Amino acid sequence: MTYTEPAWAKLNLALDILGKRADGYHELRMVMQSIDLADQVTVSPQPEPGCRVTSNLLYLPKDEGNIAAKAALRFFEASGTPLPGLSIDIQKNIPVCAGMAGGSSDGAAVLRLLRRLYAPEMTEEQLEEIGARVGSDVPYCIRGGTALAEGRGERLTDLPPLPPCHLVVCKPSCSVSTPELFAQVRVRKLRCRPDTAGLLRALEEQDLEGVARRMYNVFEDVLPRRYGEVFAIKGELLGLGALGASMTGSGPTVFGIFSDREKAAQAAETLSGQYAAVHLCRPVQREIKS
Ligand code: C5P
């Protein structure tokens, strides 16, 4: 038998860093949103013990270096049962090293599948706790939808859904190392912060323009000069009619929010003449319930 789940990509509508913690991680305040760009993750039990990962992206690690395999190991450690034979296949559609939590979302899909197969009595909170041991974004990726993520990223509050809209997502060719970017941040020196409280109010009021206008990611403040494409794409999206545009996660992907489908499609077409990875997406609401 094989079991498949979509692993949705995420965007940050806001990303704020509040301080550095004693454990070396940073205290975050992020507004997260799932979108309908997804990897397909398939788990199949195997007679031989051990966990093997295959993918259409041949260079992805096949062992614990892959967050999907790490998720399986943490799941069986937590449930106190030996690791059975498992093969995990990942059909990758989410750009890698893009700030869209592609790896974390694959790990989250593995955890959801393993709960379904081996521990249906496990609560979502327990699954999210295991997810936090796999990676900071994994708990959010387990639940998806629109959520506030605080602490390391594991303290989650569901939010009203992002109002219906169209998202143009564009990844420039440069790549950014997440730990390196965190290391650049001096919290007291950040010149601009997202208006997260105002953004949450705009979500309550289902005011799409209010959300779009308040989006911001503090990592934009510390991007090295060589990532100038990020700001060029932001400017282009706004010029092409986006209500707001921001970088997601530690980048370098940039997205714009549009209320008008035609304008969004036109913007996606214009950008795809210049950048290899351009996607026209819709938000995805939370489906998983504990
Ligand atoms: O938890 P995860 O392995 O996804 O984090 C990757 C890296 O991002 C960490 O090693 C750390 O450098 C940085 N990070 C951080 N603060 C967070 C989340 C991640 O400094 N809240």
Side-chain angles (χ1 to χ4, degrees), residues 70-94:
K70 187 175 167 191
L73 298 184
R74 296 291 170 274
F75 179 89
F76 288 103
E77 264 167 34
S79 56
T81 41
L83 180 73
L86 279 182
S87 85
I88 300 172
D89 181 66
I90 304 170
Q91 288 302 305
K92 266 278 169 227
N93 301 306
I94 306 173

PDB file of all heavy atoms in Angstrom, residues 70-94:
ATOM      1  N   LYS A  70      14.290  12.381   8.814  1.00  0.00           N
ATOM      2  CA  LYS A  70      14.459  12.797  10.214  1.00  0.00           C
ATOM      3  C   LYS A  70      13.106  12.781  10.932  1.00  0.00           C
ATOM      4  O   LYS A  70      12.989  12.343  12.076  1.00  0.00           O
ATOM      5  CB  LYS A  70      15.073  14.204  10.239  1.00  0.00           C
ATOM      6  CG  LYS A  70      15.467  14.700  11.588  1.00  0.00           C
ATOM      7  CD  LYS A  70      16.178  16.052  11.462  1.00  0.00           C
ATOM      8  CE  LYS A  70      16.307  16.743  12.793  1.00  0.00           C
ATOM      9  NZ  LYS A  70      16.740  18.133  12.670  1.00  0.00           N
ATOM     10  N   ALA A  71      12.064  13.226  10.235  1.00  0.00           N
ATOM     11  CA  ALA A  71      10.715  13.242  10.821  1.00  0.00           C
ATOM     12  C   ALA A  71      10.279  11.823  11.173  1.00  0.00           C
ATOM     13  O   ALA A  71       9.728  11.586  12.254  1.00  0.00           O
ATOM     14  CB  ALA A  71       9.730  13.888   9.842  1.00  0.00           C
ATOM     15  N   ALA A  72      10.542  10.861  10.274  1.00  0.00           N
ATOM     16  CA  ALA A  72      10.144   9.466  10.534  1.00  0.00           C
ATOM     17  C   ALA A  72      10.894   8.943  11.762  1.00  0.00           C
ATOM     18  O   ALA A  72      10.293   8.309  12.642  1.00  0.00           O
ATOM     19  CB  ALA A  72      10.424   8.602   9.310  1.00  0.00           C
ATOM     20  N   LEU A  73      12.199   9.231  11.851  1.00  0.00           N
ATOM     21  CA  LEU A  73      12.979   8.752  13.003  1.00  0.00           C
ATOM     22  C   LEU A  73      12.439   9.341  14.302  1.00  0.00           C
ATOM     23  O   LEU A  73      12.247   8.625  15.289  1.00  0.00           O
ATOM     24  CB  LEU A  73      14.462   9.104  12.838  1.00  0.00           C
ATOM     25  CG  LEU A  73      15.178   8.476  11.634  1.00  0.00           C
ATOM     26  CD1 LEU A  73      16.662   8.823  11.659  1.00  0.00           C
ATOM     27  CD2 LEU A  73      15.005   6.964  11.623  1.00  0.00           C
ATOM     28  N   ARG A  74      12.179  10.660  14.319  1.00  0.00           N
ATOM     29  CA  ARG A  74      11.677  11.300  15.541  1.00  0.00           C
ATOM     30  C   ARG A  74      10.295  10.750  15.915  1.00  0.00           C
ATOM     31  O   ARG A  74       9.963  10.619  17.080  1.00  0.00           O
ATOM     32  CB  ARG A  74      11.596  12.820  15.376  1.00  0.00           C
ATOM     33  CG  ARG A  74      12.908  13.527  15.157  1.00  0.00           C
ATOM     34  CD  ARG A  74      13.807  13.518  16.387  1.00  0.00           C
ATOM     35  NE  ARG A  74      15.129  13.985  16.055  1.00  0.00           N
ATOM     36  CZ  ARG A  74      16.127  13.232  15.566  1.00  0.00           C
ATOM     37  NH1 ARG A  74      15.947  11.934  15.382  1.00  0.00           N
ATOM     38  NH2 ARG A  74      17.297  13.734  15.270  1.00  0.00           N
ATOM     39  N   PHE A  75       9.473  10.446  14.906  1.00  0.00           N
ATOM     40  CA  PHE A  75       8.129   9.926  15.166  1.00  0.00           C
ATOM     41  C   PHE A  75       8.215   8.595  15.921  1.00  0.00           C
ATOM     42  O   PHE A  75       7.536   8.398  16.932  1.00  0.00           O
ATOM     43  CB  PHE A  75       7.372   9.741  13.839  1.00  0.00           C
ATOM     44  CG  PHE A  75       5.988   9.192  14.007  1.00  0.00           C
ATOM     45  CD1 PHE A  75       4.909  10.052  14.205  1.00  0.00           C
ATOM     46  CD2 PHE A  75       5.751   7.819  13.990  1.00  0.00           C
ATOM     47  CE1 PHE A  75       3.626   9.550  14.377  1.00  0.00           C
ATOM     48  CE2 PHE A  75       4.474   7.315  14.163  1.00  0.00           C
ATOM     49  CZ  PHE A  75       3.412   8.182  14.361  1.00  0.00           C
ATOM     50  N   PHE A  76       9.069   7.686  15.437  1.00  0.00           N
ATOM     51  CA  PHE A  76       9.126   6.364  16.084  1.00  0.00           C
ATOM     52  C   PHE A  76       9.872   6.429  17.414  1.00  0.00           C
ATOM     53  O   PHE A  76       9.531   5.682  18.330  1.00  0.00           O
ATOM     54  CB  PHE A  76       9.685   5.307  15.115  1.00  0.00           C
ATOM     55  CG  PHE A  76       8.680   4.991  14.048  1.00  0.00           C
ATOM     56  CD1 PHE A  76       8.817   5.504  12.761  1.00  0.00           C
ATOM     57  CD2 PHE A  76       7.551   4.236  14.347  1.00  0.00           C
ATOM     58  CE1 PHE A  76       7.856   5.249  11.790  1.00  0.00           C
ATOM     59  CE2 PHE A  76       6.583   3.989  13.381  1.00  0.00           C
ATOM     60  CZ  PHE A  76       6.734   4.489  12.103  1.00  0.00           C
ATOM     61  N   GLU A  77      10.858   7.341  17.536  1.00  0.00           N
ATOM     62  CA  GLU A  77      11.496   7.548  18.852  1.00  0.00           C
ATOM     63  C   GLU A  77      10.434   7.952  19.874  1.00  0.00           C
ATOM     64  O   GLU A  77      10.369   7.414  20.959  1.00  0.00           O
ATOM     65  CB  GLU A  77      12.481   8.723  18.770  1.00  0.00           C
ATOM     66  CG  GLU A  77      13.929   8.345  18.521  1.00  0.00           C
ATOM     67  CD  GLU A  77      14.718   9.601  18.142  1.00  0.00           C
ATOM     68  OE1 GLU A  77      14.420  10.712  18.646  1.00  0.00           O
ATOM     69  OE2 GLU A  77      15.600   9.445  17.310  1.00  0.00           O
ATOM     70  N   ALA A  78       9.583   8.925  19.472  1.00  0.00           N
ATOM     71  CA  ALA A  78       8.577   9.460  20.406  1.00  0.00           C
ATOM     72  C   ALA A  78       7.528   8.414  20.731  1.00  0.00           C
ATOM     73  O   ALA A  78       7.004   8.387  21.844  1.00  0.00           O
ATOM     74  CB  ALA A  78       7.923  10.709  19.804  1.00  0.00           C
ATOM     75  N   SER A  79       7.183   7.562  19.762  1.00  0.00           N
ATOM     76  CA  SER A  79       6.112   6.599  20.054  1.00  0.00           C
ATOM     77  C   SER A  79       6.677   5.320  20.671  1.00  0.00           C
ATOM     78  O   SER A  79       5.916   4.409  21.001  1.00  0.00           O
ATOM     79  CB  SER A  79       5.271   6.320  18.799  1.00  0.00           C
ATOM     80  OG  SER A  79       6.098   5.879  17.765  1.00  0.00           O
ATOM     81  N   GLY A  80       8.006   5.263  20.827  1.00  0.00           N
ATOM     82  CA  GLY A  80       8.619   4.142  21.548  1.00  0.00           C
ATOM     83  C   GLY A  80       8.567   2.827  20.791  1.00  0.00           C
ATOM     84  O   GLY A  80       8.723   1.765  21.395  1.00  0.00           O
ATOM     85  N   THR A  81       8.347   2.873  19.487  1.00  0.00           N
ATOM     86  CA  THR A  81       8.346   1.626  18.702  1.00  0.00           C
ATOM     87  C   THR A  81       9.534   1.655  17.735  1.00  0.00           C
ATOM     88  O   THR A  81       9.936   2.726  17.276  1.00  0.00           O
ATOM     89  CB  THR A  81       7.041   1.472  17.875  1.00  0.00           C
ATOM     90  OG1 THR A  81       6.717   2.742  17.329  1.00  0.00           O
ATOM     91  CG2 THR A  81       5.897   0.951  18.679  1.00  0.00           C
ATOM     92  N   PRO A  82      10.098   0.457  17.450  1.00  0.00           N
ATOM     93  CA  PRO A  82      11.245   0.460  16.536  1.00  0.00           C
ATOM     94  C   PRO A  82      10.829   0.931  15.147  1.00  0.00           C
ATOM     95  O   PRO A  82       9.675   0.753  14.743  1.00  0.00           O
ATOM     96  CB  PRO A  82      11.694  -1.007  16.509  1.00  0.00           C
ATOM     97  CG  PRO A  82      10.737  -1.787  17.344  1.00  0.00           C
ATOM     98  CD  PRO A  82       9.696  -0.871  17.901  1.00  0.00           C
ATOM     99  N   LEU A  83      11.788   1.557  14.462  1.00  0.00           N
ATOM    100  CA  LEU A  83      11.522   2.053  13.098  1.00  0.00           C
ATOM    101  C   LEU A  83      11.199   0.861  12.188  1.00  0.00           C
ATOM    102  O   LEU A  83      12.007  -0.047  12.047  1.00  0.00           O
ATOM    103  CB  LEU A  83      12.779   2.778  12.602  1.00  0.00           C
ATOM    104  CG  LEU A  83      12.712   3.368  11.198  1.00  0.00           C
ATOM    105  CD1 LEU A  83      11.825   4.602  11.178  1.00  0.00           C
ATOM    106  CD2 LEU A  83      14.114   3.730  10.700  1.00  0.00           C
ATOM    107  N   PRO A  84       9.999   0.853  11.574  1.00  0.00           N
ATOM    108  CA  PRO A  84       9.698  -0.241  10.638  1.00  0.00           C
ATOM    109  C   PRO A  84      10.356   0.046   9.282  1.00  0.00           C
ATOM    110  O   PRO A  84      10.999   1.079   9.120  1.00  0.00           O
ATOM    111  CB  PRO A  84       8.174  -0.174  10.530  1.00  0.00           C
ATOM    112  CG  PRO A  84       7.841   1.260  10.772  1.00  0.00           C
ATOM    113  CD  PRO A  84       8.911   1.821  11.666  1.00  0.00           C
ATOM    114  N   GLY A  85      10.190  -0.856   8.319  1.00  0.00           N
ATOM    115  CA  GLY A  85      10.661  -0.568   6.958  1.00  0.00           C
ATOM    116  C   GLY A  85       9.748   0.470   6.326  1.00  0.00           C
ATOM    117  O   GLY A  85       8.522   0.341   6.357  1.00  0.00           O
ATOM    118  N   LEU A  86      10.356   1.530   5.778  1.00  0.00           N
ATOM    119  CA  LEU A  86       9.545   2.614   5.184  1.00  0.00           C
ATOM    120  C   LEU A  86      10.245   3.128   3.947  1.00  0.00           C
ATOM    121  O   LEU A  86      11.464   3.332   3.967  1.00  0.00           O
ATOM    122  CB  LEU A  86       9.468   3.809   6.127  1.00  0.00           C
ATOM    123  CG  LEU A  86       8.493   3.820   7.280  1.00  0.00           C
ATOM    124  CD1 LEU A  86       8.627   5.164   7.999  1.00  0.00           C
ATOM    125  CD2 LEU A  86       7.055   3.640   6.795  1.00  0.00           C
ATOM    126  N   SER A  87       9.486   3.360   2.889  1.00  0.00           N
ATOM    127  CA  SER A  87      10.093   4.181   1.842  1.00  0.00           C
ATOM    128  C   SER A  87       9.253   5.446   1.706  1.00  0.00           C
ATOM    129  O   SER A  87       8.023   5.431   1.838  1.00  0.00           O
ATOM    130  CB  SER A  87      10.254   3.401   0.536  1.00  0.00           C
ATOM    131  OG  SER A  87       9.080   3.455  -0.178  1.00  0.00           O
ATOM    132  N   ILE A  88       9.965   6.559   1.516  1.00  0.00           N
ATOM    133  CA  ILE A  88       9.318   7.880   1.408  1.00  0.00           C
ATOM    134  C   ILE A  88       9.697   8.437   0.047  1.00  0.00           C
ATOM    135  O   ILE A  88      10.882   8.520  -0.278  1.00  0.00           O
ATOM    136  CB  ILE A  88       9.825   8.835   2.504  1.00  0.00           C
ATOM    137  CG1 ILE A  88       9.524   8.279   3.904  1.00  0.00           C
ATOM    138  CG2 ILE A  88       9.214  10.230   2.344  1.00  0.00           C
ATOM    139  CD1 ILE A  88      10.177   9.079   5.043  1.00  0.00           C
ATOM    140  N   ASP A  89       8.689   8.774  -0.744  1.00  0.00           N
ATOM    141  CA  ASP A  89       8.988   9.410  -2.034  1.00  0.00           C
ATOM    142  C   ASP A  89       8.476  10.854  -2.009  1.00  0.00           C
ATOM    143  O   ASP A  89       7.371  11.116  -1.539  1.00  0.00           O
ATOM    144  CB  ASP A  89       8.321   8.648  -3.187  1.00  0.00           C
ATOM    145  CG  ASP A  89       8.670   9.308  -4.509  1.00  0.00           C
ATOM    146  OD1 ASP A  89       9.866   9.285  -4.875  1.00  0.00           O
ATOM    147  OD2 ASP A  89       7.766   9.893  -5.149  1.00  0.00           O
ATOM    148  N   ILE A  90       9.320  11.770  -2.500  1.00  0.00           N
ATOM    149  CA  ILE A  90       8.943  13.199  -2.513  1.00  0.00           C
ATOM    150  C   ILE A  90       8.976  13.704  -3.947  1.00  0.00           C
ATOM    151  O   ILE A  90      10.042  13.720  -4.574  1.00  0.00           O
ATOM    152  CB  ILE A  90       9.922  14.032  -1.657  1.00  0.00           C
ATOM    153  CG1 ILE A  90       9.971  13.480  -0.222  1.00  0.00           C
ATOM    154  CG2 ILE A  90       9.508  15.502  -1.647  1.00  0.00           C
ATOM    155  CD1 ILE A  90      11.078  14.096   0.625  1.00  0.00           C
ATOM    156  N   GLN A  91       7.820  14.043  -4.464  1.00  0.00           N
ATOM    157  CA  GLN A  91       7.775  14.701  -5.773  1.00  0.00           C
ATOM    158  C   GLN A  91       7.835  16.194  -5.501  1.00  0.00           C
ATOM    159  O   GLN A  91       6.877  16.795  -5.017  1.00  0.00           O
ATOM    160  CB  GLN A  91       6.487  14.317  -6.530  1.00  0.00           C
ATOM    161  CG  GLN A  91       6.488  12.885  -7.022  1.00  0.00           C
ATOM    162  CD  GLN A  91       7.664  12.584  -7.952  1.00  0.00           C
ATOM    163  OE1 GLN A  91       7.851  13.271  -8.953  1.00  0.00           O
ATOM    164  NE2 GLN A  91       8.467  11.577  -7.620  1.00  0.00           N
ATOM    165  N   LYS A  92       8.991  16.792  -5.792  1.00  0.00           N
ATOM    166  CA  LYS A  92       9.261  18.187  -5.425  1.00  0.00           C
ATOM    167  C   LYS A  92       8.693  19.150  -6.459  1.00  0.00           C
ATOM    168  O   LYS A  92       9.024  19.065  -7.645  1.00  0.00           O
ATOM    169  CB  LYS A  92      10.783  18.398  -5.400  1.00  0.00           C
ATOM    170  CG  LYS A  92      11.418  18.229  -4.047  1.00  0.00           C
ATOM    171  CD  LYS A  92      11.283  19.429  -3.243  1.00  0.00           C
ATOM    172  CE  LYS A  92      11.566  19.562  -1.857  1.00  0.00           C
ATOM    173  NZ  LYS A  92      10.666  20.206  -0.990  1.00  0.00           N
ATOM    174  N   ASN A  93       7.864  20.053  -6.005  1.00  0.00           N
ATOM    175  CA  ASN A  93       7.395  21.161  -6.840  1.00  0.00           C
ATOM    176  C   ASN A  93       7.751  22.498  -6.215  1.00  0.00           C
ATOM    177  O   ASN A  93       7.859  23.505  -6.908  1.00  0.00           O
ATOM    178  CB  ASN A  93       5.871  21.089  -7.017  1.00  0.00           C
ATOM    179  CG  ASN A  93       5.455  19.784  -7.667  1.00  0.00           C
ATOM    180  OD1 ASN A  93       5.964  19.447  -8.733  1.00  0.00           O
ATOM    181  ND2 ASN A  93       4.578  19.033  -7.027  1.00  0.00           N
ATOM    182  N   ILE A  94       7.910  22.514  -4.865  1.00  0.00           N
ATOM    183  CA  ILE A  94       8.261  23.750  -4.160  1.00  0.00           C
ATOM    184  C   ILE A  94       9.749  24.002  -4.390  1.00  0.00           C
ATOM    185  O   ILE A  94      10.559  23.090  -4.187  1.00  0.00           O
ATOM    186  CB  ILE A  94       7.994  23.600  -2.639  1.00  0.00           C
ATOM    187  CG1 ILE A  94       6.550  23.159  -2.373  1.00  0.00           C
ATOM    188  CG2 ILE A  94       8.318  24.890  -1.907  1.00  0.00           C
ATOM    189  CD1 ILE A  94       6.254  22.825  -0.905  1.00  0.00           C
TER     190      ILE A  94
END
